[in-house]
Amino acid sequence: MVREKKDRRYNLLALTGSAALLALAINLAISAVNAHTKKRKRRDLAGSNVRVNLSAPEILQLANSIISKSKAVHDAVGSVPLDKATYANVVLPLAELEAQQFPLVQSCIFPKLVSTSEEVRKASAEAEQRIDSHVLMCSQREDVYCVVKAFVARGEWISPEANRYVQCLIRDFERNGLNLTSTKREEVQRLRAHIDDLSVLYIKNMSDESTFLLFSETELAGLPPEFLQSLDKAENGKFKVYLRSRHVIPVLELCKIGMTRKTVAVAYGKRGGEANPSVLKSLIQLRHKLARLLSYSNYADYAVAPRMAKSSSKVFEFLEDISASVNELAARELDMLKDLKRKEEGEFPFGNEDLLYYMKRVEEQYLDLDFGVLKQYFPINLVLPGIFKIFQDLFGLRFEEIADVEVWHSDVRAFSVFDLSSSELLGYFYLDIHPREGKYGHICVVALQNGSLSSNGARQVQHICNRASFARFSGLRVDPDFVEIPARVFENWCYESFSLKLISGFHQDITKPIEDRMCESLKRWRSSFSALKLKQEILYCLFDQIIHSTEDVDMVKLFRDLHPKVMLGLPMLEGTNPASCFPRSAVGFEATCYSRIWSEVFAADMFASKFPGGLLSQYIGMQFRKKVLALGGSKDPIDILSDFLGREPSIQAFVESKVQASL
């Protein structure tokens, strides 16, 4: 038994926007007060190993120190005689290295997201490259792999979580080819390098900022004057619409001219140019070759194997079941759009270019929702206390702001989090919600110090509630199919009237909360055309899964055949080519695009099964905290969900929620 000591290292969490429940509220929030600019004294957080405000040279120096220490530990483990391998001299040093170095690594790479200094951001990016290269080299250490395998062969008893950690080590080594001959290992590394190069090329081909289409003001009818004023003009006086989402989405949503929408949709649907289809084809061939070298039948099986879904066949079954379950609702939604187009444009065929426009038109007609007005009900000084109140009541937590801690910008606020009943300090988080020059432009959560229980008893509690004993199983380092599920459960509170009233108040009169009709409209907006939107996403997920599970696919033909089958007879927009502009299949989410839907489905099951009768039930909230949040990746995600639900997870609650919430 590990003896607890007083010198704890608590987790640190940076929210560069907000997490889960905060996401909608902060997006809607406008500040009724000045930004938080109080000058802070320089004070460290107790138990924190994160270093903020490092200079560029300090970042690079720390990165080198991290690499040196890591190499020393791996050298020591790799030199252990195979017949002397024990938990203490093999597994524990590797686990402690992860726990000790994680906050230091984050100290190096986090500044690229938040620093106002270009020099610091560049140093941070360079440090990340150095550390990534070193981590890759460690993953190819045959000596360490052999010692870990020797430890397993000796059969020493270890805890279930420690055993899971060891199995993850072996799995990661073998997914890098360490169980292959040296010749095949070299081929694996060559293939990976080639895949990386082609992935970069694919994204580069899509990043051309210069391509634009020209339209007259008449051809852009329906676009608001402020949007037109933001567009550049050509010498002939026409407006330049660039093939970037900031221009394309407004045109597809608001332009009244069908031909304009179609022209933009076709151009945007082939924006990767003529080169990208062949690049993607080569990428897929290389991925299949890599998978076969590693004893998988295809790349999809290789990509899905370590995830919650386990196999490509399970993913297909999941996507097809979800798609079939919402067919009737999606058909009703599509008919509504077609009827509206007939009324407004006559008997012109309904195409993909019409989807966003007529969804928007229906929402305008049926939903009494003005986001300009809505924003005025969410001043930040009401939003945060309201959210803290919800988390306090639900999960038994207490939040206190720390006024004198060192931060990386005057906008940043720091908070301590305590257990409500015991007053135990659980951890800290930073809140950095205001945009600024050089800062990462999207909402995200960054774990700065992960949870772990080291040999001296010091604990860091990841994401406040995590209690995993290994850093490997905390933070965002959990099963990728599981990592978004808790956040998607929390999102539900953002659409409930009681919680919206708790976090709202008109900015000119904060005693006046959001009105019931606005709450209802917001909830209906969330679910509007949800089945049809889901079918669109399933279409691309199936496309992604098929091309990564089958050899030599004609991707244009596949998409042309698949589109009407999934989209209820709606044909593919001719002239587009998904292979030219599908970045998720090129890099980052290849063969795993399904994961977002997977998270949404099982989050719906958890929420519908446990929370509707007790949205602020601390009993249910504490069950969620202890059975889900506390475990992180220390158990199989299916076991975690099943234990919380009292049964195996199901898609039924998700399907029913779509039907019940339909327009």
Side-chain angles (χ1 to χ4, degrees):
M1 181 174 178
V2 177
R3 182 168 60 89
E4 192 82 342
K5 290 189 177 181
K6 291 183 179 179
D7 59 329
R8 293 190 171 199
R9 296 191 304 253
Y10 296 97
N11 102 293
L12 281 156
L13 185 65
L15 296 88
T16 65
S18 63
L21 180 60
L22 286 83
L24 174 68
I26 296 300
N27 273 333
L28 298 178
I30 61 169
S31 181
V33 295
N34 291 332
H36 190 82
T37 56
K38 183 178 177 181
K39 189 174 182 180
R40 303 179 188 274
K41 300 175 184 177
R42 299 175 66 85
R43 182 169 74 84
D44 293 332
L45 292 173
S48 169
N49 293 322
V50 177
R51 305 176 187 178
V52 300
N53 294 325
L54 293 177
S55 67
E58 288 171 335
I59 289 172
L60 296 176
Q61 183 179 4
L62 179 57
N64 291 338
S65 174
I66 290 167
I67 292 168
S68 177
K69 172 65 175 177
S70 174
K71 184 178 184 304
V73 171
H74 282 84
D75 286 346
V77 171
S79 66
V80 172
L82 298 185
D83 61 342
K84 303 292 184 182
T86 66
Y87 182 83
N89 63 15
V90 176
V91 179
L92 190 59
L94 294 174
E96 288 194 327
L97 179 70
E98 286 189 49
Q100 293 162 6
Q101 292 210 318
F102 184 83
L104 303 180
V105 171
Q106 295 302 82
S107 299
C108 289
I109 67 178
F110 181 62
K112 76 173 188 177
L113 300 176
V114 298
S115 178
T116 56
S117 165
E118 184 177 0
E119 181 186 13
V120 167
R121 293 196 301 271
K122 286 182 178 179
S124 177
E126 182 180 341
E128 183 177 33
Q129 290 178 350
R130 292 183 189 180
I131 293 169
D132 284 349
S133 296
H134 171 72
V135 170
L136 177 61
M137 184 172 62
C138 290
S139 71
Q140 299 166 6
R141 293 272 308 238
E142 184 179 9
D143 54 347
V144 177
Y145 168 68
C146 290
V147 171
V148 174
K149 289 278 286 185
F151 164 74
V152 173
R154 294 191 67 191
E156 179 181 333
W157 185 91
I158 53 176
S159 70
E161 187 176 346
N163 183 64
R164 184 172 174 83
Y165 175 74
V166 172
Q167 294 306 314
C168 286
L169 288 177
I170 293 173
R171 180 198 69 192
D172 292 348
F173 277 126
E174 293 184 351
R175 285 175 68 82
N176 277 291
L178 269 293
N179 57 332
L180 303 178
T181 65
S182 59
T183 301
K184 288 185 176 180
R185 283 203 303 272
E186 291 173 2
E187 177 67 1
V188 165
Q189 301 314 316
R190 188 190 67 79
L191 286 171
R192 286 193 186 281
H194 197 179
I195 287 170
D196 289 345
D197 291 343
L198 288 180
S199 299
V200 170
L201 177 60
Y202 188 95
I203 298 301
K204 182 180 178 182
N205 289 341
M206 286 186 57
S207 301
D208 181 7
E209 296 277 354
S210 63
T211 305
F212 60 85
L213 304 172
L214 292 176
F215 295 103
S216 66
E217 186 170 355
T218 302
E219 291 171 318
L220 295 175
L223 276 300
E226 57 270 24
F227 177 78
L228 295 179
Q229 290 169 10
S230 72
L231 299 178
D232 296 332
K233 282 189 174 182
E235 292 182 358
N236 61 4
K238 289 191 173 184
F239 294 95
K240 293 181 178 180
V241 173
Y242 287 86
L243 297 183
R244 314 304 299 173
S245 59
R246 67 181 184 274
H247 283 182
V248 170
I249 300 302
V251 171
L252 295 181
E253 284 188 338
L254 301 173
C255 184
K256 295 180 178 179
I257 310 302
M259 184 53 67
T260 300
R261 296 196 303 269
K262 185 171 185 177
T263 301
V264 170
V266 170
Y268 192 66
K270 58 180 180 181
R271 63 190 181 280
E274 297 180 0
N276 262 2
S278 62
V279 173
L280 184 58
K281 182 177 180 180
S282 297
L283 266 173
I284 292 168
Q285 290 173 341
L286 292 172
R287 286 170 182 159
H288 283 315
K289 190 172 182 179
L290 171 66
R292 288 193 297 270
L293 267 176
L294 297 171
S295 302
Y296 292 89
S297 58
N298 55 65
Y299 186 80
D301 279 340
Y302 165 79
V304 177
R307 303 169 75 106
M308 195 173 165
K310 304 300 185 191
S311 69
S312 180
S313 60
K314 181 65 175 178
V315 174
F316 278 118
E317 178 186 350
F318 169 79
L319 292 173
E320 288 164 358
D321 285 351
I322 294 293
S323 185
S325 298
V326 298
N327 268 343
E328 185 177 343
L329 177 57
R332 292 203 304 268
E333 293 174 348
L334 184 57
D335 286 343
M336 183 185 297
L337 299 180
K338 289 179 176 179
D339 288 344
L340 185 56
K341 179 170 182 178
R342 275 194 294 269
K343 291 177 183 177
E344 295 198 355
E345 298 186 45
E347 294 297 327
F348 290 98
F350 188 94
N352 275 289
E353 71 277 10
D354 299 317
L355 283 169
L356 289 181
Y357 177 76
Y358 283 103
M359 285 179 184
K360 191 80 169 177
R361 294 284 291 120
V362 172
E363 289 174 0
E364 290 171 352
Q365 292 182 14
Y366 289 90
L367 298 180
D368 181 18
L369 190 61
D370 185 333
F371 280 98
V373 173
L374 188 64
K375 289 180 180 181
Q376 299 179 55
Y377 282 87
F378 293 93
I380 194 68
N381 57 319
L382 287 183
V383 170
L384 289 181
I387 288 171
F388 291 163
K389 169 67 174 171
I390 292 171
F391 273 107
Q392 172 181 297
D393 292 348
L394 192 60
F395 298 119
L397 303 173
R398 175 167 59 86
F399 302 88
E400 287 185 8
E401 184 163 9
I402 311 168
D404 59 350
V405 68
E406 183 179 16
V407 294
W408 53 87
H409 191 273
S410 59
D411 284 348
V412 179
R413 302 169 68 176
F415 296 83
S416 300
V417 185
F418 300 87
D419 180 83
L420 189 61
S421 60
S422 69
S423 295
E424 177 190 1
L425 176 62
L426 300 178
Y428 309 96
F429 68 88
Y430 294 109
L431 194 61
D432 185 359
I433 62 176
H434 299 293
R436 61 177 175 269
E437 185 69 27
K439 181 184 170 185
Y440 180 68
H442 302 282
I443 292 172
C444 72
V445 179
V446 180
L448 299 181
Q449 185 162 296
N450 270 353
S452 67
L453 188 62
S454 65
S455 58
N456 71 355
R459 179 180 285 280
Q460 311 146 12
V461 187
Q462 190 281 327
H463 283 189
I464 310 309
C465 297
N466 185 279
R467 291 286 177 175
S469 297
F470 290 84
R472 171 67 65 97
F473 300 137
S474 58
L476 301 179
R477 301 184 68 186
V478 298
D479 188 309
D481 284 350
F482 180 80
V483 67
E484 289 289 339
I485 290 178
R488 293 199 171 277
V489 173
F490 297 154
E491 284 178 5
N492 289 283
W493 276 263
C494 293
Y495 297 92
E496 297 296 330
S497 294
F498 89 91
S499 53
L500 287 171
K501 287 178 180 293
L502 187 62
I503 66 176
S504 66
F506 191 62
H507 73 104
Q508 292 177 341
D509 179 5
I510 61 173
T511 65
K512 179 183 175 184
I514 189 172
E515 300 172 9
D516 288 333
R517 63 173 183 83
M518 297 175 73
C519 293
E520 182 59 30
S521 292
L522 188 59
K523 200 166 188 175
R524 292 176 65 202
W525 168 79
R526 182 194 190 192
S527 61
S528 64
F529 298 102
S530 59
L532 200 53
K533 292 172 184 176
L534 179 62
K535 293 282 259 181
Q536 285 183 290
E537 190 169 359
I538 288 172
L539 169 67
Y540 283 95
C541 291
L542 285 171
F543 176 77
D544 170 60
Q545 203 65 207
I546 291 170
I547 63 177
H548 284 106
S549 59
T550 312
E551 297 276 0
D552 298 322
V553 177
D554 182 332
M555 287 182 276
V556 174
K557 183 179 185 303
L558 168 65
F559 200 73
R560 184 179 286 113
D561 293 342
L562 195 61
H563 201 289
K565 292 178 182 177
V566 177
M567 293 301 294
L568 307 168
L570 198 64
M572 181 185 88
L573 184 59
E574 287 300 326
T576 60
N577 188 341
S580 74
C581 52
F582 193 8
R584 298 184 78 199
S585 259
V587 57
F589 295 92
E590 55 273 17
T592 61
C593 290
Y594 71 88
S595 192
R596 198 211 64 80
I597 301 176
W598 182 279
S599 298
E600 185 179 358
V601 167
F602 295 119
D605 191 18
M606 298 175 82
F607 180 75
S609 300
K610 291 291 185 177
F611 287 103
L615 288 170
L616 283 182
S617 166
Q618 194 167 110
Y619 172 74
I620 299 174
M622 290 301 292
Q623 280 191 318
F624 189 81
R625 175 178 158 183
K626 292 176 180 178
K627 293 186 175 183
V628 179
L629 301 180
L631 297 178
S634 62
K635 286 180 64 177
D636 189 286
I638 290 292
D639 293 338
I640 292 175
L641 294 186
S642 298
D643 184 38
F644 177 71
L645 293 168
R647 55 168 173 77
E648 290 189 0
S650 166
I651 71 170
Q652 193 57 38
F654 173 78
V655 174
E656 290 175 357
S657 70
K658 294 294 181 187
V659 174
Q660 292 170 3
S662 60
L663 281 171

